[in-house]
Amino acid sequence: MPDIQRFACLGKQDTIPQDSGAGKAGRARRAKRGGNPIYPRRAFLAFLVLHASQSINAGGIFQHPATFIPSITIEIPVRRPLIIGNWKMNKTASEAAAFIQDLRERVPASPNADVVVAPPFTALESVRNALGPSSWISLGAQNVHWETHGAFTGEVSAPMLRDLGCRYVIVGHSERRTLFGERDESILKKVRAALRHGLSPILCVGESLAERESGRTESVVTAQLDGSLAGLTPQDLATVTIAYEPVWAIGTGRAATTEQAVTVHRSIRLFIETGWDSKTASTIRILYGGSVTPQNIESLLASDAIDGALVGGACLNTDSFATIISVAQTQRD
Ligand code: PEP
């Protein structure tokens, strides 16, 4: 049998508490493995996974004269910060192009963070043109229909978004859920359609104030994840991002504290580990959204549990969005 040893290298790590509501199956699995999974903090933190097994000798890297030939695999779960600007229903096509020009002048490209802008459908083409062919800023949409084409007045499909250069799509935003009646069932269809057509879904989940105040945050978020990710494979989840956006924090100026966000992020990661596996849980990015500003981004990103931000109001101004991006680029370099 393969003998797998894990060595966590270099520095601070993020651990998942055992008592944060994983359910029986997850607890049993973790107990069997002898502890909690360890998630690396920075891109350069790595797990060195040493597979030393006669059963995998054929694939071994080192040729050894003895019968025992070890094979070494290095896994590097990288969670590079991701900053997404959700423009909502703001900016005409020409305003959008001018904004992108200005943003590009203010922020240099950096490999330390991924940046996405999600303008309205009507501005996607002008933003794509303003970004240019090999921009370090990616294009995202705010919604998608699950069918590819047909009699769906007012809707836009995943192939249409791909054709416009989109790489990401926001799905299940709380405004879509509350103002347009979206349910987990249709959100799941959208996630699946996005994945089928090569778009990375940004799945939004989050509780209302009443739900938080009645102690139901975790069960609400878990139910949303359950409904919106049902039946997806680890391969599917490799391109999914989860955005935890408490409804009471969106557009209110009242952001969650880092501690509140971290608690929910950890339970989301634990949910993914329980439902899928620890590798999927350690690599999926979980963003925080809800009144993110240049003033609070540093404190949010200071936690290993928060892999970036979904920004609404503060992304509409180049000064504030540039500052948020710069913090993400430098804080975890
Ligand atoms: C959002 O629209 O997803 C959002 C988080 O908005 P705001 O940053 O304005 O709260």
Side-chain angles (χ1 to χ4, degrees):
M1 292 296 290
D3 170 27
I4 300 175
Q5 297 172 25
R6 287 182 166 187
F7 300 92
C9 315
L10 302 173
K12 213 172 127 188
Q13 290 130 3
D14 175 27
T15 56
I16 290 175
Q18 265 179 320
D19 60 354
S20 58
K24 246 179 169 172
R27 278 195 291 277
R29 275 214 329 262
R30 280 192 308 287
K32 206 168 129 198
R33 275 205 316 269
N36 288 328
I38 298 169
Y39 299 121
R41 179 168 192 250
R42 300 177 183 225
F44 59 82
L45 300 185
F47 285 161
L48 177 64
V49 182
L50 177 63
H51 300 259
S53 162
Q54 291 196 323
S55 65
I56 53 172
N57 275 349
I61 293 169
F62 301 131
Q63 292 305 305
H64 195 282
T67 51
F68 179 80
I69 304 174
S71 168
I72 287 181
T73 307
I74 295 175
E75 293 179 8
I76 306 175
V78 175
R79 297 208 310 262
R80 188 163 45 195
L82 171 58
I83 302 293
I84 304 178
N86 174 16
W87 294 13
K88 311 193 186 191
M89 197 172 72
N90 290 292
K91 297 190 193 297
T92 63
S94 51
E95 287 167 349
F99 177 93
I100 294 296
Q101 229 115 44
D102 190 20
L103 184 67
R104 291 180 65 188
E105 281 162 22
R106 285 166 193 261
V107 197
S110 161
N112 297 330
D114 293 326
V115 177
V116 178
V117 289
F121 292 137
T122 47
L124 284 172
E125 188 169 13
S126 74
V127 169
R128 179 192 63 183
N129 294 340
L131 288 173
S134 57
S135 174
W136 57 275
I137 301 172
S138 300
L139 192 58
Q142 298 173 22
N143 190 18
V144 65
H145 194 269
W146 54 86
E147 295 292 345
T148 54
H149 62 276
F152 302 100
T153 303
E155 295 291 333
V156 173
S157 74
M160 293 170 184
L161 296 176
R162 279 293 302 212
D163 186 54
L164 280 168
C166 288
R167 290 185 52 207
Y168 294 83
V169 62
I170 297 169
V171 178
H173 191 279
S174 74
E175 286 152 16
R176 301 288 326 162
R177 290 177 191 261
T178 55
L179 302 175
F180 302 99
E182 287 196 9
R183 296 280 168 269
D184 293 331
E185 196 185 31
S186 59
I187 292 165
L188 173 61
K189 290 202 259 180
K190 292 179 179 207
V191 168
R192 285 183 173 283
L195 291 168
R196 249 193 330 272
H197 296 283
L199 289 166
S200 297
I202 315 290
L203 171 66
C204 302
V205 293
E207 82 287 1
S208 68
L209 188 58
E211 288 163 343
R212 172 164 281 268
E213 287 177 345
S214 58
R216 289 185 292 138
T217 297
E218 191 175 323
S219 63
V220 166
V221 168
T222 300
Q224 289 171 341
L225 291 170
D226 217 13
S228 315
L229 298 175
L232 298 191
T233 65
Q235 288 72 28
D236 290 332
L237 282 184
T239 52
V240 171
T241 297
I242 295 167
Y244 167 57
E245 296 209 305
V247 178
W248 47 271
I250 296 178
T252 60
R254 180 189 165 191
T257 63
T258 303
E259 199 183 10
Q260 285 172 322
V262 165
T263 302
V264 180
H265 281 222
R266 286 184 173 158
S267 73
I268 291 173
R269 208 173 290 287
L270 201 46
F271 174 85
I272 299 293
E273 196 209 3
T274 307
W276 285 267
D277 53 64
S278 57
K279 186 179 174 199
T280 303
S282 71
T283 49
I284 196 164
R285 286 191 285 201
I286 306 174
L287 315 182
Y288 168 76
S291 297
V292 171
T293 63
Q295 288 72 44
N296 60 23
I297 186 68
E298 204 168 320
S299 139
L300 289 162
L301 293 186
S303 167
D304 306 334
I306 301 176
D307 302 319
L310 179 48
V311 187
C315 82
L316 296 174
N317 173 284
T318 42
D319 265 344
S320 52
F321 196 47
T323 305
I324 290 168
I325 294 169
S326 301
V327 171
Q329 287 177 335
T330 52
Q331 201 161 331
R332 297 203 185 164
D333 62 2

